[in-house]
Amino acid sequence: MTNTAIIIAAYNASATLDRAVASALTQPEAAEVCIVDDKSTDATLAMAHAWATRDARVKVLAQPANAGPASARNAAIAATSAPWLAILDADDYLLPGRLAKLHAHSDEADFIADALVRTTEDAAPAPPNAPLSPAPLSFADFVLGDHGRRKGPLDLGFLKPLVRRAFIDAHGLRYKERMRLGEDYVFYAHALALGARFLLAQPAGYVSVERPGSLSKAHSEADLQRLRDCDEEIARLRPFSAAERRALVQHWNSVDCRLQWVRLIRAVKDRDLSAALKTFHTPQ
């Protein structure tokens, strides 16, 4: 069953790209593997082209300028046609059988995700053996689960689910290209708000490799402000229940606290007392 396009946004990923692509191509469900080079300055693009010469399933796109993972993923969505999409970060990899385990339940879902297998570069995680028993993920639980505000898998905004193309096409849903932080969270929150059936299961084999200097840990003031303000945009999508509104407010406050901390540090460095005092405001 070759029905999935695996999308790999890559920026200066020459140290890990081969592993990621090889793991994608070992999935029998992989009809397409689309590598998008985000204007790398190392050998990433050349390595991607080398893969394309070896396997006809591999397609390579080269961004004209560095635009971030959201833009790269949108380009890959436009360049592929398989009915299911799977996101794979260039520094992560898939264990054998991961897509098959998720697809066993895909008839029930528009999005189906497994908890990440977190590891470090020098560790070799064992393949998960437990059978999956996916459970529905609600909008409120997802929003609170971003940054670990619910029990269970932490950082739900980092999940890498299978995505039904027909759902996102029907709703004109794509990644917010202005986002360089939290683009996954905003994409999934929009989908859930629009009625996506989102299932969450135990680990099935997405390996998230943690390393110093990860782009996901580099939070600028502008990044945080855009992420915070997206909650206000989401709140206008439809009428929400009281519990859903509370979840959005809590998430907004969580991101705002991080934003004000960055602003406070800048104000202290600038010896700007007025700017420092403005960071101490009452949350929503």
Side-chain angles (χ1 to χ4, degrees), residues 147 181 219 224 227 253-262:
H147 311 303
L181 169 69
H219 304 159
L224 288 165
L227 176 56
N253 286 334
S254 173
V255 179
D256 186 63
C257 285
R258 295 157 65 197
L259 172 61
Q260 299 310 323
W261 177 249
V262 170

Side-chain angles (χ1 to χ4, degrees), residues 152-208:
L154 298 181
D155 298 326
L156 296 185
F158 288 102
L159 295 173
K160 297 295 185 288
L162 274 178
V163 178
R164 188 185 296 274
R165 185 188 295 270
F167 179 89
I168 64 172
D169 283 352
H171 293 277
L173 181 60
R174 293 295 186 269
Y175 287 90
K176 299 291 185 184
E177 297 198 2
R178 68 183 185 276
M179 307 288 295
R180 286 182 178 253
L181 169 69
E183 69 280 352
D184 289 322
Y185 162 78
V186 175
F187 185 63
Y188 307 154
H190 270 76
L192 282 160
L194 293 168
R197 299 168 299 162
F198 200 127
L199 297 182
L200 178 59
Q202 304 94 322
Y206 186 102
V207 181
S208 174

Side-chain angles (χ1 to χ4, degrees), residues 9 20 27 36 51 53 62 83 121 142 184 186 191 195 197 232-233 255 258 261 272 276:
Q27 308 290 316
V36 185
W51 276 105
T53 64
E121 194 62 61
F142 170 74
D184 289 322
V186 175
R197 299 168 299 162
E232 298 171 0
E233 178 184 339
V255 179
R258 295 157 65 197
W261 177 249
D272 187 337

Side-chain angles (χ1 to χ4, degrees), residues 12-97:
N12 287 354
S14 59
T16 59
L17 183 66
D18 281 345
R19 179 180 62 190
V21 177
S23 77
L25 291 171
T26 60
Q27 308 290 316
E29 297 75 17
E32 303 169 271
V33 175
C34 187
I35 308 168
V36 185
D37 179 72
D38 199 19
K39 200 63 175 179
S40 296
T41 58
D42 65 0
T44 297
L45 182 57
M47 293 172 66
H49 282 304
W51 276 105
T53 64
R54 296 198 296 270
D55 195 306
R57 290 174 292 170
V58 177
K59 176 178 292 187
V60 179
L61 304 178
Q63 296 279 73
N66 179 266
S71 175
R73 290 171 186 167
N74 284 345
I77 292 170
T80 56
S81 60
W84 287 90
L85 302 164
I87 304 301
L88 174 59
D89 287 348
D91 51 0
D92 296 339
Y93 60 97
L94 307 178
L95 295 177

Side-chain angles (χ1 to χ4, degrees), residues 1 84 102-110 112 164 197 199:
M1 181 173 61
W84 287 90
L102 296 182
H103 271 299
H105 302 274
S106 62
D107 287 348
E108 311 159 31
D110 301 303
I112 178 166
R164 188 185 296 274
R197 299 168 299 162
L199 297 182

Side-chain angles (χ1 to χ4, degrees), residues 115-133:
L116 305 179
V117 178
R118 294 192 180 277
T119 189
T120 56
E121 194 62 61
D122 56 354
N129 293 319
L132 298 189
S133 53

